[in-house]
Amino acid sequence: MQLLLFNRLTIKSKLIIIILFASISSILIIAYLGLQMGKRSLTQSVSNQLTSVRAAKSDEIKTYLQTLRNHLKTLCEDRMVIAAMVDLHQGFQELNQKSIPPQWEQSLQNYYEKEFFPRISDNVSGELRFSNYSPVSQAAKYLQHYYVAGNVYPVEQKAQLLDAGDGSAYSRFHAQYQPLFQNLVQSMGYSNLLLIDHNTGDIIYSIRKEPDYGTNLNTGPYRTSHLAKLVATVRQSFDPRTTQITDFEAYRPVYGSQVAFIAGPIYDGSKLVGILAVQLSVAEINRIMTSNQNWMNEGLGKSGEAYLVSSDYRMRLRSRFALADKQNKIQTLETEGARKALAGETGTGIFKDYRGISALTAYAPLKIGDLNWAILAQMDTAEVLTPINNLQLWLLSTSTILIVMFTFLSIIVSHFVNRPIAAIKEGIQQLQAGNYDTTVDINADDEFGELGRAFNAMVISLGEKLAEIEQKNRENEALMLNIVPFTIAQRLKQGELLIADHVKQVTILYARVVGIAELSQRLPPAEVAQLLTHLFHEFDEAAERFGLERKSTIDTDYMAVCGLTIPRLDHVKRTVDFGVEMLNILHRMELRKDLVLGLRTGIHTGSVTAGIIGTKNFGYNIWGESVYLNSERMLPPHRNGWR
């Protein structure tokens, strides 16, 4: 009975009761809000610190990689590098003429099976076969025999061998340039330096003498590696000062380790003589991101750290906790912060990190050339909020008794207030989702009941209006597509008022049907009109098949353009083929109708200007010298035209 009585009260009466209960709890609410404000203030302060760390590390990484790219550009123009490329290339070509003793093949197989395969087996899947890794060319077998398999130095020190002592020109050049390149990579922190024949894809020189030494990046065992893709990109760029960079990926010649490369073309004057590639070391990136493992001085406390994540959600260095546990494995993670940053977002938030622990995280994208990384700085939420959490625990424990006292009464009050609000909220959500048939069921005599009935009436009216608008939109869009091409219609819909484009290469076909005047003298106008309509309809269908756009039909003239709104590399061929098809269409119609017609056709390739002309009665037109030449000069007034 009491509940029924409460339900019949007006909203004002219900609000008075709610305010009374709110007043009783005001002290607790104020205390709690003060605590939350303190928590937000502390969180914001730490967020600002993490944002500063993230921004500083981002700038350092960008500067470091830009410095490497600038240095590579300088190296590609260095006379010593150019000379080394030319000399070693000459020596490499001479080695291709050497005969390879059969026992060398067995020596190489022993090296791969006893030294290389055991070291790489943990990082690759599948069966390791020498036939899949063995060098193919004479020069590659020669170099790997002397500088890899026959190299007396340990695996990590094979670069110490300067001269194989075989008396070849290549070894003489190698002994000359190897010390210079070693000093260079040590001073810049590179892991390796390679010289690559841009024509053949042969790696003609490598400081470290890994198993990729002498192999071919086009056809050899590492043809699918990211180094091979990088070299192909550099080869196709044609820019003397262009450098390209890859992301870190597993590279089998370095035993499946994660490495990255920067490469650029080597030009001797205007002549491309080769490609220079350097292998990046992750050590310098680790030093930048960890500040030499001095996290406390960065304001990152006991749990904070900054790290990089690549587009494949792999961490680009070992985390603080992996270093503490002496783990060498690169971690894979897909956290909310990493997803947001890789999606291009910048901000802060509290997320589960790669350990599954809640952390306050500042995240941002880090794009350097083609690299798409995310940079994150984080600190465990528990460490950030320790002081506030202690105070909050005390406040909650002392407030529990008072909260329980008012819980039951609050449930009764909220039932009668929240039920109609929830119904209206659900109706609004259904309306937002596009369900215009939704209604709310509020059986009350108060203001909520009136609001529900008004909402239902509004939904019915809104559905009718939207249906009418949708019908008008479909009609307008269909009309628009009859006037302008689809791409131009899209630009108009996006609000672009002035549309005028200069298209450098299009092919214009201008055709005139000959014989209609004579035909009109012996056939009724309706029959001539029907014939022209059918003829031009077949022209339009053929134009669509060949990728041309009809621009105008005046009298018996027909003009179409290829490559205007949709660029076509073969626009000339398409237009010529279309012209031939027009003749075929005309010929078929002559045979069916027993007519004598002709077709004058002019085709011209050049640039045009295209745009929307007019405001109320507008159209998409083209103009320019190519149009005038085609319409005035390409159709000389021959008597019979041409077929």
Side-chain angles (χ1 to χ4, degrees):
M1 179 64 69
Q2 289 83 358
L3 294 180
L4 265 179
L5 180 62
F6 186 83
N7 190 34
R8 298 182 65 84
L9 293 175
T10 64
I11 294 178
K12 184 181 294 185
S13 301
K14 295 175 183 176
L15 288 176
I16 291 174
I17 297 175
I18 294 172
I19 291 172
L20 288 175
F21 290 121
S23 299
I24 297 173
S25 305
S26 60
I27 296 177
L28 293 176
I29 294 173
I30 292 173
Y32 180 78
L33 290 177
L35 186 62
Q36 294 303 312
M37 290 177 64
K39 181 182 291 187
R40 286 196 295 268
S41 177
L42 180 60
T43 302
Q44 185 62 46
S45 176
V46 178
S47 295
N48 292 339
Q49 172 66 17
L50 292 175
T51 300
S52 298
V53 171
R54 183 206 69 207
K57 298 300 181 186
S58 177
D59 290 340
E60 285 188 72
I61 291 295
K62 288 180 179 178
T63 301
Y64 170 65
L65 292 180
Q66 187 59 46
T67 300
L68 294 183
R69 297 183 77 165
N70 291 338
H71 183 250
L72 187 71
K73 291 179 183 178
T74 303
L75 286 179
C76 289
E77 298 173 349
D78 188 271
R79 294 307 307 173
M80 185 270 287
V81 174
I82 296 172
M85 184 70 220
V86 173
D87 291 340
L88 290 168
H89 179 267
Q90 176 186 344
F92 188 90
Q93 294 301 318
E94 292 177 4
L95 294 181
N96 273 322
Q97 309 304 318
K98 298 283 187 180
S99 61
I100 305 300
Q103 59 269 26
W104 287 16
E105 189 80 11
Q106 185 60 47
S107 174
L108 288 174
Q109 184 172 353
N110 291 339
Y111 167 80
Y112 275 87
E113 293 177 350
K114 295 180 180 179
E115 295 191 39
F116 180 65
F117 289 165
R119 293 171 63 90
I120 197 177
S121 59
D122 291 338
N123 295 327
V124 299
S125 59
E127 182 181 359
L128 297 172
R129 297 180 179 179
F130 173 68
S131 59
N132 294 333
Y133 290 83
S134 63
V136 177
S137 69
Q138 300 292 91
K141 293 179 180 180
Y142 192 98
L143 292 177
Q144 290 207 9
H145 170 75
Y146 280 105
Y147 289 91
V148 180
N151 194 325
V152 298
Y153 290 95
V155 171
E156 297 297 331
Q157 301 178 22
K158 289 187 181 295
Q160 300 300 320
L161 178 61
L162 301 183
D163 191 342
D166 60 323
S168 66
Y170 183 95
S171 292
R172 185 174 69 256
F173 292 134
H174 184 277
Q176 175 185 350
Y177 293 112
Q178 178 78 355
L180 301 176
F181 283 132
Q182 282 184 295
N183 292 335
L184 188 150
V185 297
Q186 289 173 2
S187 64
M188 289 302 296
Y190 299 137
S191 294
N192 197 6
L193 181 148
L194 305 98
L195 297 177
I196 301 163
D197 187 329
H198 64 285
N199 287 319
T200 64
D202 292 316
I203 301 177
I204 66 171
Y205 173 78
S206 167
I207 288 180
R208 290 175 59 89
K209 308 303 181 289
E210 306 288 2
D212 58 354
Y213 186 35
T215 61
N216 188 283
L217 294 176
N218 295 335
T219 60
Y222 312 110
R223 60 187 178 277
T224 61
S225 66
H226 58 311
L227 173 60
K229 297 175 184 176
L230 176 67
V231 169
T233 302
V234 173
R235 186 188 301 120
Q236 295 169 4
S237 66
F238 300 108
D239 189 344
R241 292 186 59 80
T242 295
T243 61
Q244 304 289 341
I245 186 170
T246 70
D247 202 342
F248 285 85
E249 293 185 22
Y251 188 52
R252 294 199 178 195
V254 291
Y255 314 108
S257 299
Q258 297 279 323
V259 298
F261 293 95
I262 301 178
I266 305 173
Y267 275 84
D268 187 2
S270 61
K271 180 182 179 182
L272 178 63
V273 296
I275 295 174
L276 172 64
V278 295
Q279 179 181 314
L280 299 189
S281 170
V282 76
E284 181 62 18
I285 295 179
N286 270 321
R287 185 197 66 77
I288 293 173
M289 297 304 296
T290 65
S291 299
N292 285 325
Q293 301 185 26
N294 198 355
W295 294 279
M296 295 292 291
N297 287 347
E298 292 281 340
L300 294 175
K302 298 179 180 179
S303 63
E305 62 176 331
Y307 55 91
L308 298 171
V309 180
S310 67
S311 57
D312 60 356
Y313 293 100
R314 294 180 67 88
M315 190 179 287
R316 281 291 164 249
L317 70 162
R318 286 180 290 166
S319 70
R320 178 177 185 174
F321 305 98
L323 289 169
D325 296 338
K326 300 187 182 301
Q327 298 177 2
N328 294 320
K329 187 177 181 180
I330 298 295
Q331 292 174 281
T332 300
L333 65 158
E334 188 173 352
T335 64
E336 185 173 354
R339 286 194 296 270
K340 287 178 175 290
L342 290 173
E345 299 182 32
T346 299
T348 59
I350 297 177
F351 314 116
K352 294 287 186 180
D353 71 355
Y354 57 91
R355 300 166 294 155
I357 296 175
S358 176
L360 179 60
T361 306
Y363 56 88
L366 179 60
K367 293 189 177 181
I368 306 171
D370 294 332
L371 297 181
N372 182 23
W373 288 350
I375 183 168
L376 300 95
Q378 69 176 45
M379 184 182 294
D380 288 358
T381 307
E383 182 179 0
V384 174
L385 301 178
T386 295
I388 298 295
N389 287 337
N390 292 336
L391 180 59
Q392 185 177 17
L393 180 62
W394 176 84
L395 179 61
L396 290 175
S397 61
T398 57
S399 303
T400 301
I401 296 175
L402 293 175
I403 293 174
V404 171
M405 292 174 58
F406 299 105
T407 299
F408 179 72
L409 190 56
S410 298
I411 291 174
I412 296 175
V413 173
S414 63
H415 172 76
F416 291 104
V417 175
N418 289 338
R419 185 175 60 180
I421 293 176
I424 294 175
K425 178 182 177 182
E426 175 65 22
I428 293 174
Q429 290 175 342
Q430 290 292 327
L431 197 60
Q432 289 176 335
N435 183 7
Y436 301 113
D437 296 328
T438 186
T439 57
V440 296
D441 185 15
I442 302 176
N443 296 320
D445 297 329
D446 57 13
E447 292 88 338
F448 281 123
E450 295 178 4
L451 182 60
R453 289 187 288 275
F455 177 85
N456 293 337
M458 180 195 69
V459 169
I460 294 172
S461 176
L462 181 61
E464 294 173 351
K465 296 296 183 184
L466 288 176
E468 183 179 349
I469 292 172
E470 180 65 22
Q471 178 62 28
K472 293 295 184 182
N473 285 339
R474 286 195 294 268
E475 293 174 359
N476 291 339
E477 186 169 352
L479 181 60
M480 177 76 72
L481 292 177
N482 284 332
I483 299 174
V484 298
F486 176 78
T487 56
I488 302 303
Q490 293 299 109
R491 293 168 64 181
L492 288 172
K493 288 173 64 177
Q494 292 170 3
E496 193 171 346
L497 299 178
L498 180 59
I499 297 179
D501 303 310
H502 183 70
V503 185
K504 293 184 177 181
Q505 281 293 324
V506 300
T507 299
I508 302 172
L509 180 144
Y510 199 105
R512 176 173 298 161
V513 179
V514 180
I516 296 298
E518 293 81 355
L519 193 63
S520 300
Q521 296 176 1
R522 60 186 183 87
L523 292 178
E527 189 172 343
V528 174
Q530 183 180 10
L531 184 145
L532 283 174
T533 300
H534 181 69
L535 179 62
F536 280 23
H537 174 71
E538 290 201 26
F539 285 173
D540 289 343
E541 288 185 340
E544 185 175 351
R545 291 198 305 272
F546 286 95
L548 279 78
E549 304 170 40
R550 188 181 78 176
K551 301 316 299 174
S552 65
T553 304
I554 304 173
D555 193 11
T556 58
D557 292 355
Y558 186 97
M559 183 171 70
V561 185
C562 186
L564 182 61
T565 60
I566 302 176
R568 308 270 190 189
L569 293 177
D570 58 344
H571 54 88
V572 175
K573 181 179 183 303
R574 286 172 176 265
T575 305
V576 173
D577 291 344
F578 172 58
V580 174
E581 180 62 16
M582 290 178 73
L583 288 171
N584 293 334
I585 292 170
L586 190 65
H587 181 63
R588 288 194 297 269
M589 179 170 287
E590 287 179 318
L591 293 178
R592 289 197 306 268
K593 303 289 186 178
D594 191 21
L595 304 173
V596 178
L597 297 175
L599 189 68
R600 295 178 185 155
T601 306
I603 297 176
H604 184 74
T605 297
S607 62
V608 297
T609 302
I612 296 293
I613 298 178
T615 54
K616 294 183 179 180
N617 297 321
F618 62 88
Y620 185 66
N621 299 314
I622 62 172
W623 60 90
E625 185 178 1
S626 297
V627 180
Y628 307 144
L629 284 173
N630 212 18
S631 61
E632 296 179 5
R633 300 180 184 177
M634 301 294 285
L635 290 174
H638 297 305
R639 181 175 181 83
N640 295 319
W642 59 275
R643 300 293 301 273

